[in-house]
Amino acid sequence: MGGYEADPGASGASSPGSQIGVDLSSRESGEKMRKRSCPKLFFAVLLFSGFLLLMWEAFAQKAAGPVMVLHVDSVINPVTAEFIDENLKRAATKDAALVVVQLDTPGGLDTAMREIVKGILNSPVPVAVYVAPSGARAASAGVFITLAADVAAMAPGTNIGAAHPVAMGGKDMGDEMAKKVENDAVAYIQSIATRRNRNVQWAEQAVRKSVSIAAEEALRLDVIDLVAKDLDDLLSQLHGGTLLRDSGQMILEVKGRPVEHVEMGWRQRVLNALSNPNVAYILLMIGLAGLYFELAHPGSIFPGVIGGISLILAFYALHTLPINYAGVMLILLGIVFFIAELKVSSYGLLTLAGVVSLTLGSIMLFNAPGGYQKLAWKVLIPTVLAVSGFFAVVATLAFKAYVRKPVAGSRGMIGEKGNAMSRIAPRGRVFVRGEIWDAVSEEPIEEGEQVEVTGIQGLILQVRRASQ
């Protein structure tokens, strides 16, 4: 019995110990679960933080789009139009806050100008045209481009105007055609000025009467929106301003934005350089000289290759320049005179005529209004002298080679002298050029006398007594 009673006591004594064991096991299990969950929670927090950081950077990058500044300081041509159009599209993909076209141009091609204007008018990114630095101008095609911008600005000491259209090629359009071209240009510039709410009357006068005004006058006449001394001043004045675009009103936020200056790439710089009249003229002359040398000395190869490449590059440049076709014809006529000198003994008269034609054609080759895209005298004079000298030297050498006595073959035997090895009456044998020949003569020639070859028939020489 005592054992049984003890059993309950024992069981009662062991019950608390058993309960304590259960509590300790549960605590250990909870600690293990917490230890397992901590890395997962840390990883989740880290992943979420990284996601938020990426979203913030993307948002910040979008919110802080750059201000792109395109530098255009050349004639408006297809290369310029490609450069501006390409960067307007790039500005849209970069969500740029503003595109500034820093402009300094004497004008250019109507087709290239219209491409640029269309690009500016349809750009999703606001565009400011800034005629700068001081001393720059926006003439001819530059007037249309400036008026087409969302913001038109000029630096002090700059001018804008003189937008009257002029025919390419230096030819007279005729009164009727000139009137049509002028009216078309007036209507175009009026539509641009009306859309941008600028002075329509002045825009018309810039085309019809080629009026030109300074920056301060342009601001007073409401041709432009502001005058800024430099780029920083321009962005400072634009910050917080309101633009009325097709999508509605837009507030410019350009303060503190990164400024990205964009220049033409190497390919565009090369093509733009080719559009320089001086470069185009030199390439034309090199091309003509190379082909002329190849024709005068067939098989030279290298001059022909260089001439062909130069001519192709020159033709590319010439289609972007105001060419006077009378000048082209005179240059080609000069080349014809040089070639004729190879065949005709004119005692230098044809060469002189070629030099005169080449010089006159070079002077007349480029005909551009406003004094731009002209051939520089420091390029024209040395080039004409060098090319004329080259043609004259090649023509002289070719003519000498043409009239030179043959030194090989049957024709080379004519005029050679030798000795009679036997009496020739009318047949005999002679010793000429180290060889023994059968010979005939119309006059008797004694053995040992000197003879001169007058002709050859097969292997028989025709000779006569050599004159003493």
Side-chain angles (χ1 to χ4, degrees), residues 372-421:
Y372 69 94
Q373 289 186 319
K374 293 281 189 177
L375 189 59
W377 285 101
K378 61 182 181 181
V379 174
L380 188 150
I381 295 176
T383 304
V384 168
L385 292 178
V387 173
S388 300
F390 171 80
F391 283 135
V393 169
V394 172
T396 301
L397 294 177
F399 181 74
K400 287 182 178 179
Y402 179 75
V403 300
R404 184 182 299 129
K405 176 183 175 293
V407 294
S410 59
R411 294 185 59 192
M413 293 291 294
I414 299 175
E416 291 291 327
K417 295 183 179 181
N419 295 314
M421 298 186 65

Side-chain angles (χ1 to χ4, degrees), residues 277-294 303-304 306-315 317-318 327-335 338 354-355 357-366 375 379-391:
N278 297 310
V279 176
Y281 175 71
I282 292 175
L283 288 173
L284 179 63
M285 293 295 102
I286 293 176
L288 294 175
L291 293 184
Y292 173 80
F293 189 89
E294 184 67 28
I306 296 298
I309 294 175
S310 299
L311 276 181
I312 292 174
L313 294 177
F315 291 154
L318 293 177
V328 176
M329 296 304 295
L330 280 172
I331 291 176
L332 295 179
L333 181 62
I335 304 301
F338 287 126
V355 172
S357 296
L358 187 64
T359 303
L360 293 177
S362 300
I363 295 173
M364 299 169 58
L365 183 59
F366 299 106
L375 189 59
V379 174
L380 188 150
I381 295 176
T383 304
V384 168
L385 292 178
V387 173
S388 300
F390 171 80
F391 283 135

Side-chain angles (χ1 to χ4, degrees), residues 117-127 148-150 191-192 194-197 242-251:
V117 169
K118 284 192 294 185
I120 292 175
L121 293 177
N122 295 284
S123 172
V125 179
V127 179
D150 293 282
S191 66
I192 295 172
T194 301
R195 177 168 180 175
R196 295 307 191 192
N197 196 25
T242 302
L243 290 180
L244 183 60
R245 313 198 80 226
D246 294 338
S247 57
Q249 284 192 344
M250 176 182 182
I251 298 178

Side-chain angles (χ1 to χ4, degrees), residues 142-354:
V143 179
F144 292 80
I145 296 172
T146 304
L147 295 182
D150 293 282
V151 178
M154 298 176 67
T158 58
N159 64 283
I160 184 173
H164 188 79
V166 178
M168 294 288 286
K171 56 182 180 294
D172 187 7
M173 290 187 289
D175 294 339
E176 188 66 25
M177 180 58 67
K179 196 67 175 177
K180 290 181 179 180
V181 173
E182 179 182 303
N183 289 337
D184 178 68
V186 168
Y188 190 52
I189 202 169
Q190 283 179 335
S191 66
I192 295 172
T194 301
R195 177 168 180 175
R196 295 307 191 192
N197 196 25
R198 297 198 170 100
N199 193 325
V200 178
Q201 288 74 26
W202 181 89
E204 179 181 355
Q205 294 302 310
V207 174
R208 294 195 185 278
K209 298 184 178 181
S210 294
V211 297
S212 184
I213 54 177
E216 292 74 13
E217 183 70 8
L219 180 62
R220 187 182 68 82
L221 295 177
D222 198 25
V223 175
I224 61 174
D225 301 306
L226 53 93
V227 175
K229 61 181 181 180
D230 52 32
L231 183 61
D232 292 335
D233 185 25
L234 173 67
L235 297 180
S236 177
Q237 294 188 51
L238 290 178
H239 182 70
T242 302
L243 290 180
L244 183 60
R245 313 198 80 226
D246 294 338
S247 57
Q249 284 192 344
M250 176 182 182
I251 298 178
L252 284 176
E253 299 288 343
V254 295
K255 188 175 182 180
R257 298 293 181 99
V259 177
E260 179 183 343
H261 292 269
V262 184
E263 303 280 354
M264 287 187 178
W266 68 268
R267 184 185 70 86
Q268 291 170 332
R269 285 199 297 269
V270 169
L271 295 178
N272 196 47
L274 290 178
S275 298
N276 185 301
N278 297 310
V279 176
Y281 175 71
I282 292 175
L283 288 173
L284 179 63
M285 293 295 102
I286 293 176
L288 294 175
L291 293 184
Y292 173 80
F293 189 89
E294 184 67 28
L295 292 175
H297 298 79
S300 302
I301 299 177
F302 181 74
V305 172
I306 296 298
I309 294 175
S310 299
L311 276 181
I312 292 174
L313 294 177
F315 291 154
Y316 170 83
L318 293 177
H319 94 278
T320 67
L321 294 169
I323 301 300
N324 188 329
Y325 297 109
V328 176
M329 296 304 295
L330 280 172
I331 291 176
L332 295 179
L333 181 62
I335 304 301
V336 171
F337 285 146
F338 287 126
I339 295 176
E341 187 70 51
L342 298 175
K343 304 296 182 181
V344 180
S345 179
S346 66
Y347 303 99
L349 291 180
L350 288 175
T351 299
L352 180 60

Side-chain angles (χ1 to χ4, degrees), residues 25-37:
S25 177
S26 301
R27 187 179 301 171
E28 290 175 356
S29 176
E31 289 178 355
K32 289 181 180 179
M33 291 179 64
R34 283 194 296 272
K35 289 180 179 179
R36 291 177 181 174
S37 61

